């Protein structure tokens, strides 16, 4: 396939032309991961509100351009959106348009050879994914997370910086595990649940629940 509009320069000549969806802080973090990994060439970001370049990557329009870019030689999409359900929706849309959805992992992350990560997942520096761990599509393993052996994460899960999941923890689709949370081995966190920053989860968390504290308890939310 030729790449007429987005031929990357110099050392990036063999990298895959890639468009990023989103132009916020998560995009900045992922641009640095992409550059460190070296296999993709970020040609631009799509965003409906931001216009400023992100670490030198221009904003080239809003998400409505996604379909046209597929016909202009752009081959892959990295969805840079922290909101779990929104990220999964864009992954589905990009797949329907025929884009590749590569797993993007920083070279300073440690991924067990027996672990598996679904399409469109991202792994930031110093994250560790242990033996036989499984994670679905659109997973974010953020900076310094530890997901221990035999964990099973559904689709669209975000494990925020510094969170630690003990062995065999199961996390349902769309759940957020907050910054610095610690999860006891074998606990189950339900779909779309939120584990608050710094929580110590020692028992199962129900679908859609928000928990926080040490030990973690349901939090009343407005
Ligand atoms: C748990 C959380 C979702 C609650 O957010 P919220 O619904 O906006 O709640 P509020 O900030 O209004 O706080 C509501 C109450 O819960 C308490 N609370 C909030 N977060 C808490 C936490 N992590 N642990 C314990 N208590 C918490 C507040 O102190 C407040 O208590 P009060 O009613 O006695 O004053 C949020 O604080 C959180 O931890 N989100 C995770 C963020 C994260 O890690 N993101 C990843 C970014 S990379």
């Amino acid at each position: 396939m030729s790449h007429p509009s987005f031929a990357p320069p110099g050392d990036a000549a063999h990298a895959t032309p890639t468009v990023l969806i989103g132009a916020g802080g998560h995009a900045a973090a992922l641009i640095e991961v992409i550059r460190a990994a070296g296999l993709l060439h970020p040609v631009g970001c799509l965003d409906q509100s931001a216009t400023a370049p992100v670490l030198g990557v221009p904003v080239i329009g809003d998400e409505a351009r996604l379909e046209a870019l597929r016909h202009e030689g752009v081959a892959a999409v990295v969805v840079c959106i922290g909101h779990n359900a929104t990220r999964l929706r864009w992954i589905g849309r990009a797949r329907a348009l025929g884009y590749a959805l590569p797993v993007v992992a920083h070279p300073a992350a440690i991924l067990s050879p027996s672990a598996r990560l679904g399409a469109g997942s991202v792994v930031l520096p110093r994250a560790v994914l242990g033996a036989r761990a499984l994670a679905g599509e659109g997973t974010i393993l953020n900076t310094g997370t530890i997901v221990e052996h035999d964990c099973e994460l559904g689709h669209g899960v975000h494990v925020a910086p510094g969170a630690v999941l003990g062995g065999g923890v199961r996390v349902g689709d769309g759940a957020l595990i907050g910054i610095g949370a610690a999860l006891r081995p074998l606990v189950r966190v339900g779909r779309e649940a939120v584990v608050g920053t710094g929580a110590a989860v020692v028992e199962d968390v129900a679908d859609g629940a928000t928990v926080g504290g040490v030990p973690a308890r349901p939090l009343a939310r407005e």
Side-chain angles (χ1 to χ4, degrees):
M1 177 190 292
S2 63
H3 306 306
S5 303
F6 291 109
D11 290 345
H14 300 293
T16 303
T18 301
V19 68
L20 313 186
I21 298 178
H26 189 44
L30 292 184
I31 286 167
E32 295 198 336
V33 173
I34 287 168
R35 287 176 174 157
L39 299 174
L40 307 177
H41 171 62
V43 300
C45 301
L46 300 181
D47 197 289
Q48 62 186 9
S49 47
T51 53
V54 185
L55 298 176
V57 178
V59 176
I60 56 174
D62 65 16
E63 294 90 339
R65 276 203 75 192
L66 189 61
E67 183 166 4
L69 288 169
R70 186 70 191 99
H71 305 294
E72 296 172 29
V74 179
V77 164
V78 175
V79 183
C80 306
I81 294 175
H83 185 266
N84 291 337
T86 307
R87 185 170 65 261
L88 281 182
R89 271 200 302 279
W90 280 112
I91 285 173
R93 174 96 176 111
R95 173 179 288 118
L97 291 171
Y99 283 102
L101 290 155
V103 172
V104 172
H106 193 278
I110 299 174
L111 302 178
S112 159
S114 59
R116 294 288 176 269
L117 269 168
S121 294
V122 299
V123 188
L124 282 90
R126 301 186 66 184
V128 178
L129 186 63
R132 298 185 306 200
L134 304 174
E137 294 188 355
T139 304
I140 301 174
L141 299 183
N142 221 318
T143 311
T145 57
I146 297 176
V147 175
E148 265 297 349
H149 64 88
D150 299 304
C151 283
E152 292 183 21
L153 279 51
H155 299 303
V157 170
H158 180 180
V159 186
V164 179
L165 279 57
V169 166
R170 289 175 295 154
V171 181
D173 295 346
L176 167 64
I177 312 298
I179 295 169
L183 279 63
R184 184 157 86 180
L186 300 176
V187 296
R188 178 187 177 283
V189 175
R191 295 167 64 96
E192 294 170 21
V194 175
V195 173
T197 303
V201 177
V202 297
E203 57 190 35
D204 291 354
V205 176
D207 290 352
T210 297
V211 302
V214 180
R217 299 282 183 243
L219 295 177
R221 297 180 74 185
E222 301 277 312

